[in-house]
Amino acid sequence: MCFRDDNEESRDLKKPFLHTGSWYRMSSRQSSIMGSSAQVLRDGSISVVLCILIVALGPIQFGFTCGYSSPTQAEIISDLKLSISEYSIFGSLSNVGAMVGAIASGQIAEYIGRKGVPVYIAEISPQNMRGSLGSVNQLSVTIGIMLAYLLGLFANWRVLAVLGILPCTLLIPGLFFIPESPRWLAKMGMMEDFEASLQVLRGFDTDISVEVNEIKRAVASSSKRSTIRFADLKRKRYWYPLMVGIGLLMLQQLSGINGVLFYSSNIF
């Protein structure tokens, strides 16, 4: 009895947190009940670009948060009677949130789905567009920063804060209307959902059999790879790629670019 309960619990953990997609698997009778709008969705296809535009609202939100403290610094210090040190604490809160999110995001993406995670864009993109669409994440961050700077010229800090939540307000409901990553569904063993999601992304009239087989082979190959344990990093074969990877990340942060973004109006 306990063994069966454990199996059921394990299957539940593999289900997407945002279990969307039932609309594109509805029967014709259910479709007619839902109305003509659902039928249009069923007969057409969700463009990959549309899905990416919805997911891109997340990095736009992040970029807006990074840029918010720059145009509002003088107003907030004046209105709230803050010292420079106190405002610096306020400006660093986004970094604290980013650290917490970085710890949890990997496990979230692994167990409850890829939506809202940058890797989602790469996983749903067709092979011939993966490179260009993969750059959307970083582009969206810079767009968010630019919007914060531009709107900060015309809006006070309270209005700008309200405007800053709009991307997230659109993103959350938007996640319920885009399919889950086919590769993640295949990895979790949900083959029926995997093929349905891929069919939606490529169009209902598209033959996806070749791509289905490619994804299945890739998932099978990745599952056979041995997991590298932390103790294995002591081997010399891993030292060079590890140092290069960590070094690039450290140099990016030690350049001080975040400080410039957060307080550019005071610096320049």
Side-chain angles (χ1 to χ4, degrees):
M1 184 70 175
C2 180
F3 180 73
R4 185 168 62 251
D5 292 342
D6 289 343
N7 283 341
E8 290 175 357
E9 183 178 351
S10 176
R11 285 195 297 270
D12 288 341
L13 286 174
K14 291 184 177 181
K15 292 180 179 178
F17 182 66
L18 295 177
H19 188 60
T20 63
S22 58
W23 61 264
Y24 58 76
R25 295 174 59 191
M26 289 188 297
S27 66
S28 58
R29 181 170 179 269
Q30 289 173 312
S31 243
S32 61
I33 294 174
M34 291 294 291
S36 58
S37 59
Q39 188 63 40
V40 168
L41 286 172
R42 180 176 169 80
D43 291 340
S45 65
I46 296 183
S47 169
V48 170
V49 176
L50 177 60
C51 293
I52 290 175
L53 288 176
I54 293 174
V55 174
L57 291 170
I60 288 175
Q61 175 73 70
F62 175 72
F64 197 99
T65 302
C66 291
Y68 175 80
S69 59
S70 177
T72 59
Q73 180 174 353
E75 279 189 293
I76 291 178
I77 289 177
S78 176
D79 289 356
L80 302 182
K81 305 296 188 293
L82 300 178
S83 65
I84 296 295
S85 298
E86 290 172 332
Y87 185 78
S88 296
I89 295 174
F90 166 77
S92 66
L93 291 178
S94 60
N95 284 331
V96 175
M99 286 190 294
V100 175
I103 295 171
S105 61
Q107 294 301 313
I108 290 173
E110 183 67 21
Y111 291 107
I112 68 174
R114 298 285 201 252
K115 292 184 183 182
V117 183
V119 72
Y120 175 82
I121 295 176
E123 290 191 352
I124 70 169
S125 301
Q127 188 174 0
N128 63 332
M129 299 174 63
R130 196 164 296 152
S132 57
L133 293 178
S135 64
V136 169
N137 181 68
Q138 191 59 43
L139 176 63
S140 300
V141 173
T142 56
I143 289 174
I145 296 171
M146 181 188 69
L147 288 174
Y149 286 177
L150 290 177
L151 295 175
L153 296 174
F154 309 103
N156 63 53
W157 66 274
R158 290 183 175 86
V159 174
L160 192 63
V162 174
L163 294 174
I165 67 173
L166 291 180
C168 190
T169 303
L170 297 173
L171 171 64
I172 293 174
L175 292 177
F176 288 91
F177 294 94
I178 60 176
E180 183 54 80
S181 162
R183 289 181 180 270
W184 182 82
L185 292 170
K187 183 180 179 181
M188 293 294 106
M190 294 183 284
M191 293 304 173
E192 186 179 351
D193 290 333
F194 149 59
E195 293 190 20
S197 176
L198 186 62
Q199 189 72 73
V200 171
L201 289 167
R202 301 296 181 259
F204 286 96
D205 296 327
T206 303
D207 182 9
I208 61 170
S209 57
V210 174
E211 190 170 2
V212 165
N213 291 329
E214 288 178 354
I215 293 175
K216 286 181 178 179
R217 284 196 298 269
V219 170
S221 176
S222 63
S223 63
K224 292 177 182 178
R225 295 173 190 165
S226 57
T227 304
I228 299 176
R229 297 172 297 178
F230 188 77
D232 294 334
L233 298 179
K234 295 178 183 179
R235 299 180 183 178
K236 288 186 177 181
R237 59 182 295 188
Y238 297 121
W239 288 2
Y240 180 73
L242 189 64
M243 286 189 295
V244 170
I246 295 176
L248 288 173
L249 293 173
M250 289 182 63
L251 287 173
Q252 182 184 20
Q253 298 305 314
L254 292 175
S255 67
I257 184 59
N258 285 342
V260 174
L261 292 176
F262 293 167
Y263 308 109
S264 61
S265 61
N266 193 43
I267 294 172
F268 301 109

